[in-house]
Amino acid sequence: MLPLRGPHLVTDHCRRALTAVGATGYDAPRMDSSLVLKNDRVLRAFRKQPVDVTPVWIMRQAGRYMPEYRAIRAKADFLTLCKTPDLVTEATLLPIDLLDVDAAIIFSDILIPVEAMGMELVFTDARGPQLPKPIRDRGDVERLKAFDPETATGFVMASIRQTNRALDGRVPLLGFAGAPFTLATYMVEGETSKHFYRIKRLAYEDPSLLHRLLERLTGVVAEYLVAQVEAGAHAVQLFDTWAGALSPDDYATWCVPYTTRIVEAVKRTGVPVVLYVNGSGTFLEAMADTGVDVISVDWRVDLADAKRRVGRRVALQGNLDPCALYAGPDVIRREAVRILEKYGPGPGHVFNLGHGILPDIPVPHAKALVTAVHDESRVYHRSGA
Ligand code: CP3
């Protein structure tokens, strides 16, 4: 019954999760003590259920723009931080305490599973993530390890459990992973790329090798996300950040089949799945075809247009330009209203930025966004719960 092909490792806990399909689905957070969410707006909006106000969270909401985050980072380098559950919990809670956002997202990075597959990973302040020995041939792909997420990335699962205990049900906790194509860009390019020449060259020169790499990543990412749900993640987001570099036909070839299989595996656990692509305007329909519950769109997309195109099939998340937060509270409020108007009345919208918050945004501006979204959206939910 497994939708995943290829030589991936299926651990006992994953098999349990993958086979646990009941009438009401499988609800891991309910397994985790008697945790009842005090604020479940984000989960309700993901499922297109009525809410009192439009929920909001911010991609990269725990980050360098916060002095409190920089203080944590003064104690540990980025990877050590990601691997220390006490520090992860502290970082994950910062935006809940300081901004009043409606969801927490576990503090980590999409490249953690890439390291667990055996690739060397370093984070530099100047150039971001670096993989000094990128994938160059078939041998490099075959040498990648499948891994048990509860052991190789046990610190992520421990962090999810500990963060949920600290949250005490204040808001849901989101898990996440990079989607296969975006992880493959890092593995092949070796760093964040501007033009993606290397991975596109591989796609044209040796398509079977890129398919093989994506196949291997699909098994790993599905198991990694299911393990996060088992640890207590209430929903998960798949980041296919760099898939926007692809043509619609190439998105259909290199992303849709793999993402679909991951979505199938995770949805069996019963939690909603969000899919984010930066630059997805030309293939929103294909993203919806993967079976995700929510599409997270960037600012280049007109939200009213996105709602017309895919709003019957999925909820939408987004989509303020992160640069709008450079302006003061009045402009931020005006821009929030503009986006709320675009989505219009009715459930199924989670407010967010179109990409991660920038490192030099003043914290009060982020807080002003959250306040504005809550204040100004009430009129759209008059009949809401
Ligand atoms: O949203 C959150 O608050 C959760 C934390 C989170 C981080 N990375 C922390 C982080 C999440 C969800 C990510 C995902 C991620 N990581 C993506 C997909 C989302 C996106 O923004 O497109 C990507 C492409 C990465 C890879 C990555 N990690 C890059 C390109 C960088 C450098 C960027 C930069 O601003 O320097 C990182 C490092 C990173 N990941 C930081 C944080 C807070 C900065 C590290 C530091 O503290 O020095």
Side-chain angles (χ1 to χ4, degrees):
M1 55 77 57
L2 278 173
L4 313 168
R5 289 174 278 132
H8 60 279
L9 191 95
V10 181
T11 56
D12 278 349
H13 68 91
C14 287
R15 186 174 289 115
R16 266 203 324 278
L18 290 166
T19 50
V21 207
T24 53
Y26 159 89
D27 193 339
R30 233 182 288 144
M31 282 182 17
D32 181 21
S33 75
S34 57
L35 227 156
V36 177
L37 288 173
K38 295 165 191 121
N39 170 356
D40 65 350
R41 281 177 193 136
V42 161
L43 297 183
R44 293 183 64 83
F46 281 168
R47 298 185 195 286
K48 303 180 83 172
Q49 294 166 347
V51 285
D52 55 347
V53 295
T54 300
V56 50
W57 67 280
I58 296 174
M59 282 194 268
R60 295 275 184 99
Q61 60 191 12
R64 284 167 302 182
Y65 75 106
M66 283 183 168
E68 295 82 355
Y69 173 79
R70 295 197 295 272
I72 300 173
R73 275 283 276 106
K75 292 187 265 182
D77 64 77
F78 179 66
L79 269 180
T80 305
L81 163 49
C82 290
K83 294 175 183 178
T84 312
D86 283 349
L87 297 179
V88 170
T89 303
E90 205 184 317
T92 305
L93 259 63
L94 287 176
I96 313 307
D97 293 332
L98 300 172
L99 305 181
D100 198 27
V101 283
D102 295 296
I105 178 162
I106 193 69
F107 190 86
S108 188
D109 197 81
I110 58 165
L111 296 173
I112 292 289
V114 171
E115 191 188 43
M117 291 177 88
M119 288 188 77
E120 190 189 332
L121 169 67
V122 283
F123 281 89
T124 62
D125 284 340
R127 298 178 62 200
Q130 304 283 314
L131 297 136
K133 297 189 202 81
I135 285 177
R136 288 288 169 262
D137 55 34
R138 195 162 286 267
D140 293 336
V141 173
E142 297 309 327
R143 269 189 294 278
L144 292 169
K145 294 184 288 192
F147 63 89
D148 174 4
E150 271 292 349
T151 45
T153 54
F155 50 86
V156 175
M157 312 312 151
S159 297
I160 289 174
R161 293 187 189 96
Q162 187 173 331
T163 302
N164 259 336
R165 281 195 296 275
L167 279 170
D168 194 27
R170 285 164 70 192
V171 289
L173 178 59
L174 310 180
F176 72 88
F181 179 79
T182 289
L183 295 182
T185 65
Y186 280 100
M187 295 164 100
V188 172
E189 304 276 343
E191 60 188 352
T192 307
S193 168
K194 237 194 200 130
H195 301 293
F196 304 95
Y197 293 145
R198 273 192 185 272
I199 189 144
K200 290 188 182 187
R201 180 174 174 176
L202 181 62
Y204 286 108
E205 276 187 351
D206 194 351
S208 77
L209 182 57
L210 182 54
H211 276 301
R212 175 78 182 131
L213 174 58
L214 294 169
E215 186 76 40
R216 300 215 55 193
L217 284 165
T218 297
V220 163
V221 170
E223 293 189 359
Y224 181 64
L225 285 175
V226 168
Q228 291 184 42
V229 174
E230 285 221 304
H234 297 89
V236 298
Q237 178 152 325
L238 256 181
F239 286 96
D240 214 350
T241 307
W242 305 133
L246 297 171
S247 70
D249 284 345
D250 282 340
Y251 183 76
T253 302
W254 299 112
C255 298
V256 172
Y258 302 104
T259 301
T260 302
R261 281 160 53 197
I262 293 167
V263 172
E264 272 171 19
V266 178
K267 280 184 73 168
R268 254 189 226 131
T269 66
V271 307
V273 183
V274 186
L275 177 59
Y276 169 75
V277 174
N278 187 5
S280 61
T282 58
F283 47 68
L284 294 178
E285 292 81 0
M287 289 171 75
D289 289 344
T290 64
V292 284
D293 302 279
V294 189
I295 294 180
S296 190
V297 290
D298 70 84
W299 61 93
R300 302 172 195 86
V301 174
D302 181 297
L303 202 59
D305 183 45
K307 193 180 179 188
R308 271 191 300 274
R309 287 166 59 190
V310 292
R312 262 196 287 274
R313 298 158 71 193
V314 293
L316 291 169
Q317 180 171 275
N319 70 341
L320 184 66
D321 187 330
C323 292
L325 294 186
Y326 282 123
D330 291 349
V331 173
I332 290 170
R333 184 167 286 256
R334 184 194 75 205
E335 290 299 302
V337 168
R338 190 178 58 75
I339 285 170
L340 291 167
E341 275 173 1
K342 288 274 184 194
Y343 191 84
H349 181 210
V350 172
F351 204 105
N352 206 319
L353 303 183
H355 198 186
I357 191 167
L358 296 158
D360 52 351
I361 296 296
V363 174
H365 292 195
K367 169 83 179 150
L369 176 67
V370 175
T371 307
V373 170
H374 286 159
D375 289 353
E376 302 287 348
S377 62
R378 205 167 288 277
V379 303
Y380 292 112
H381 303 285
R382 281 265 157 75
S383 58

